C-alpha cells in the first residue's frame, strides 16, 4: 500500500465504488460512497471485487449479476442450473463470473471495455473453494493485468 501511494496512487481505505460512467467502450470515471459527487478518473481500472461472498457477484431469482458496472456474467440460464442436488458436488454457481477476453478486459452488453480489467475471484470459470487456489489466481491475474497496463 505504501509503495503504491509513493508511486502516485490513491488508496481510499474502506471506500466502495458504487458506479461508473462509460463512453465509447471505455470506463471514464467511477464514483464512490465517500466521494459522492467527486468522481475518480484514471486511464485504466481493475475490478478485484471477488465473488459471491464479498458481493462482487450477486443474484436474484432471475439472474446472476455484477452489481457495480452490470458487466456481462457467464452463468446458468435458469436458477435450476445454478446448483447440483448433491451438496458435495462442485456447484455450478461457484464458477460463475465476469466475462473477459484473453487480456482480462471485461465485457458489457457483449462489447469489450478497453480499459476495465478483472482479476481474481470475480473471473468466470474459477472455483476457489474446489481448487483451493484463490490467492494464487488473484496474484497471477493481477500481475498479468499490471504488465498489460504498463505495456500500453
Amino acid at each position: 500500500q505504501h509503495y503504491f501511494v509513493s508511486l502516485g496512487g490513491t488508496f481510499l481505505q474502506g471506500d466502495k465504488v458504487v458506479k461508473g460512467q462509460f463512453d465509447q467502450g471505455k470506463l471514464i470515471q467511477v464514483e464512490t460512497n465517500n466521494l459522492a459527487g467527486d468522481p475518480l478518473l484514471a486511464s485504466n481500472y481493475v475490478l478485484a471485487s471477488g465473488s459471491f461472498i464479498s458481493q462482487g457477484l450477486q443474484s436474484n431469482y432471475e439472474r446472476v449479476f455484477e452489481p457495480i458496472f452490470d458487466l456481462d456474467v457467464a452463468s446458468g440460464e435458469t436458477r435450476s442450473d445454478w446448483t447440483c442436488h448433491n451438496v458435495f458436488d462442485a456447484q455450478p454457481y461457484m464458477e460463475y463470473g465476469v466475462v473477459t477476453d484473453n487480456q482480462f478486459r471485461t465485457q458489457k452488453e457483449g462489447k469489450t471495455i478497453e480499459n476495465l480489467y478483472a482479476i481474481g475471484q470475480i473471473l468466470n470459470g474459477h472455483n476457489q473453494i474446489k481448487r483451493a487456489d484463490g490467492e494464487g489466481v488473484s496474484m497471477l491475474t493481477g500481475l498479468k493485468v499490471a504488465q498489460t497496463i504498463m505495456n500500453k
Side-chain angles (χ1 to χ4, degrees):
Q1 176 183 337
H2 296 292
Y3 184 64
F4 173 72
V5 172
S6 75
L7 294 174
T10 302
F11 188 82
L12 302 171
Q13 184 79 32
D15 205 355
K16 180 180 178 182
V17 172
V18 292
K19 69 179 179 178
Q21 183 179 346
F22 294 89
D23 187 34
Q24 298 180 358
K26 290 186 175 184
L27 179 60
I28 57 171
Q29 66 183 32
V30 296
E31 291 183 27
T32 70
N33 275 336
N34 294 343
L35 298 174
D38 193 13
L40 299 174
L41 307 167
S43 299
N44 295 281
Y45 299 84
V46 180
L47 179 65
S49 55
S51 189
F52 291 100
I53 294 172
S54 59
Q55 299 181 354
L57 293 176
Q58 295 179 7
S59 67
N60 56 29
Y61 286 102
E62 288 83 38
R63 69 186 188 115
V64 176
F65 58 95
E66 184 279 316
I68 300 169
F69 305 113
D70 198 25
L71 300 172
D72 295 349
V73 173
S75 65
E77 291 291 319
T78 63
R79 190 173 174 86
S80 62
D81 296 332
W82 300 356
T83 59
C84 293
H85 183 54
N86 184 343
V87 300
F88 297 107
D89 288 344
Q91 299 297 315
Y93 77 87
M94 292 178 175
E95 293 194 13
Y96 294 172
V98 170
V99 176
T100 64
D101 66 8
N102 62 359
Q103 294 180 10
F104 300 106
R105 293 180 301 180
T106 60
Q107 293 182 12
K108 185 175 175 74
E109 299 173 354
K111 296 178 182 157
T112 299
I113 305 301
E114 294 298 320
N115 65 337
L116 175 57
Y117 300 83
I119 64 169
Q121 262 85 137
I122 197 160
L123 293 170
N124 175 44
H126 181 251
N127 183 337
Q128 175 195 0
I129 295 170
K130 210 62 168 157
R131 295 189 181 121
D133 65 357
E135 291 78 17
V137 169
S138 295
M139 292 294 291
L140 290 175
T141 56
L143 287 170
K144 175 62 178 163
V145 165
Q147 181 182 47
T148 299
I149 291 170
M150 288 173 38
N151 290 336
K152 277 186 160 182

